[in-house]
Amino acid sequence: MFKKFTNGCIALVQKYLPDAFLFAVILTIIVFVAGMATTGQGPVDMIKHWGDGFWSLLGFAMQMALVVVTGYVLADTKPVKKALDKLACIPKTPRSAIWFISFISLIAMFINWGFGLVIGPLFARRLSKKIKGVDYRLLIASAYASIANWHGGISGSIPLKMATGGLEAETAGVLTAAIPITETIFAPWNLIMQLAILIIIPLVNSAMHPEPDKVVALDTSLLEEEVAVAKDKSLMTPAERMENSPILSMIIGVGGLAFIVYWFATKGFNLDLNIVNFIFLFAGIILHGNPRNFLDSVEGSVKGAAGVLIQFPFYAGIMGMMVGANADGVSLAKIISDGFVSVATVKTFPLLSYLSAGIVNFFVPSGGGQWAVQAPIMMPAGAELGVNPAVTGMTIAWGDAWTNLIQPFWALPALGIAGLGARDIMGYCIIDLIVIGIITCLGFAFLV
């Protein structure tokens, strides 16, 4: 029955889910029409919100493009390939490979979302080479599914933001003091949900592995090492000798290492996307040995970043329409949030807040954007009902992460590294969405 349902989801997605770019275009049209219908704004107003928001994620888009490029470049180095190959020798069967990558990816994502977003698909490529008969689509889907637990993890932007304090204006005066991470990330109820996901999801993913005749395996020839033909140095021009010399790579690499040491010495294990990209970039420069090898690898990586660069502006435009308010301060995102708040009680509020965050995240797939939209609504509503602000904040965080499973926005970097399309993995992600949704709904209904 489970396999039949899984196959049905896969078939449905394969048949009806358009390319990720068209998905963004369709969402744009839906939000445009819904915004006019619910807020009373006209087409000109919605076009203005769309245009004003369109370029608001340029910095973030560059970060995510570099996730693809630097992750690929680092994985393309000989030392990293050897390390991942050794790790890939641990599982022996296709099902154990799926379990293993699910487990590793969930832990990596709990530690740091930027690291987890990259390491999963990189490891999946090496596993597909080592384990015969493993389904490559499910490997990538299992790696990506860990995105659902990131906002309840150590690098979750909302719990870390609440721990810094100074959020009175953003929460309509509710948060007058910082909330320590012992009440959010390391709260017993949050850790119980994380542990349940860590135990259950690898088992669910391994159970989804298709029968041998339905397996879609990666063409391992795509991972074969190209044998570089060494050019006689006596025939090189001065420019070519410079490109093939390790001296400049080592000099700039040492500079990068110095900054990394400084970062951890002054900030501790405080990882963000910038420092993760920085580490991957300079590790790639050093481990490739010389600029020529590094630049050849970069050239091979750039194609994977195309989806990020083109589609992120469209999602920024969608966010602009979601939060674009009429003269009375009413926006589509506010209407969705208020609809859930209006029927909530002190017992049901955490669950309803979580569900509303999941819906809003589908159209505003950004932790910062999610907080900006929902915190001024949900935080005072929860406080009025007597709900702990730490719980309310975490419902927004978990809801923001949950529906990432069926939102191609966050999958684009992983898909770029993997060389797959959204429809290749979303059928499996629907199953994980349901299972993680059940776990977290039960958690917010009975644990908090």
Side-chain angles (χ1 to χ4, degrees):
M1 179 66 74
F2 177 72
K3 274 284 183 68
K4 189 174 182 180
F5 181 66
T6 301
N7 291 336
C9 290
I10 294 169
L12 188 69
V13 167
Q14 287 284 344
K15 190 173 182 179
Y16 293 107
L17 182 67
D19 179 84
F21 172 71
L22 295 181
F23 186 82
V25 171
I26 292 169
L27 278 185
T28 299
I29 296 169
I30 291 173
V31 173
F32 182 86
V33 174
M36 289 192 296
T38 58
T39 66
Q41 298 181 86
V44 175
D45 296 314
M46 297 305 295
I47 285 290
K48 181 179 181 299
H49 296 320
W50 183 59
D52 288 345
F54 201 81
W55 300 116
S56 63
L57 291 180
L58 278 182
F60 187 50
M62 182 63 176
Q63 287 178 318
M64 297 305 284
L66 283 172
V67 165
V68 177
V69 172
T70 60
Y72 178 100
V73 168
L74 181 59
D76 198 34
T77 63
K78 290 181 180 179
V80 171
K81 286 176 180 176
K82 289 181 180 178
L84 290 177
D85 283 343
K86 286 184 179 180
L87 196 60
C89 289
I90 295 176
K92 304 300 181 184
T93 66
R95 288 181 185 273
S96 63
I98 298 299
W99 183 95
F100 193 56
I101 195 170
S102 301
F103 188 82
I104 294 295
S105 298
L106 284 165
I107 291 176
M109 192 67 74
F110 179 81
I111 294 171
N112 180 264
W113 73 269
F115 176 67
L117 197 62
V118 174
I119 198 63
L122 296 181
F123 186 38
R125 287 173 64 87
R126 307 314 293 180
L127 273 172
S128 66
K129 182 180 179 182
K130 290 289 183 181
I131 309 297
K132 303 300 181 185
V134 66
D135 192 278
Y136 184 56
R137 302 165 306 169
L138 183 55
L139 274 175
I140 298 299
S142 299
Y144 175 66
S146 62
I147 193 72
N149 82 330
W150 84 270
H151 223 148
I154 296 171
S155 65
S157 60
I158 289 177
L160 293 181
K161 183 184 283 284
M162 290 194 294
T164 62
L167 299 177
E168 289 186 60
E170 296 180 25
T171 60
V174 172
L175 289 187
T176 56
I179 298 177
I181 58 174
T182 53
E183 295 183 27
T184 54
I185 297 170
F186 294 105
W189 55 266
N190 188 65
L191 294 178
I192 289 172
M193 289 197 296
Q194 290 280 7
L195 182 61
I197 290 171
L198 183 63
I199 293 171
I200 295 171
I201 288 301
L203 295 174
V204 169
N205 288 343
S206 60
M208 284 194 285
H209 196 275
E211 300 301 324
D213 61 324
K214 295 183 179 179
V215 165
V216 176
L218 176 66
D219 182 358
T220 54
S221 65
L222 299 175
L223 299 178
E224 292 299 325
E225 311 293 337
E226 290 186 10
V227 180
V229 179
K231 188 175 181 179
D232 189 340
K233 288 188 177 181
S234 65
L235 301 177
M236 291 182 181
T237 64
E240 288 175 329
R241 283 197 291 271
M242 190 182 300
E243 291 173 358
N244 286 275
S245 169
I247 295 175
L248 289 177
S249 287
M250 293 306 108
I251 291 174
I252 195 66
V254 168
L257 286 176
F259 178 76
I260 293 168
V261 171
Y262 169 78
W263 174 279
F264 287 110
T266 57
K267 300 180 183 292
F269 196 71
N270 182 24
L271 295 176
D272 62 21
L273 202 52
N274 285 333
I275 192 61
V276 169
N277 279 338
F278 193 90
I279 292 169
F280 278 37
L281 174 62
F282 281 92
I285 289 173
I286 293 171
L287 294 178
H288 272 291
N290 63 60
R292 185 70 270 151
N293 291 341
F294 171 74
L295 292 172
D296 287 343
S297 183
V298 169
E299 185 177 343
S301 72
V302 170
K303 182 180 178 181
V308 172
L309 296 173
I310 292 300
Q311 292 175 46
F312 269 43
F314 283 88
Y315 281 106
I318 291 169
M319 289 170 58
M321 290 190 291
M322 285 290 294
V323 302
N326 62 17
D328 297 323
V330 178
S331 66
L332 178 57
K334 186 177 188 304
I335 289 173
I336 294 173
S337 298
D338 285 345
F340 281 89
V341 169
S342 65
V343 296
T345 67
V346 67
K347 289 290 186 181
T348 62
F349 180 82
L351 175 60
L352 293 175
S353 177
Y354 166 69
L355 293 174
S356 74
I359 293 173
V360 171
N361 175 69
F362 196 71
F363 302 97
V364 187
S366 162
Q370 185 90 1
W371 176 258
V373 169
Q374 292 208 283
I377 302 167
M378 291 303 184
M379 298 302 286
E384 186 175 339
L385 289 170
V387 178
N388 186 338
V391 172
T392 302
M394 290 302 283
T395 64
I396 300 172
W398 273 99
D400 168 73
W402 175 42
T403 47
N404 285 335
L405 284 167
I406 53 171
Q407 168 51 269
F409 179 88
W410 285 106
L412 292 174
L415 294 172
I417 293 171
L420 293 178
R423 66 168 65 95
D424 293 316
I425 69 169
M426 285 299 164
Y428 296 113
C429 289
I430 289 174
I431 306 299
D432 285 336
L433 176 87
I434 295 170
V435 174
I436 291 175
I438 292 172
I439 293 170
T440 46
C441 282
L442 290 173
F444 283 120
F446 299 107
L447 294 179
V448 299

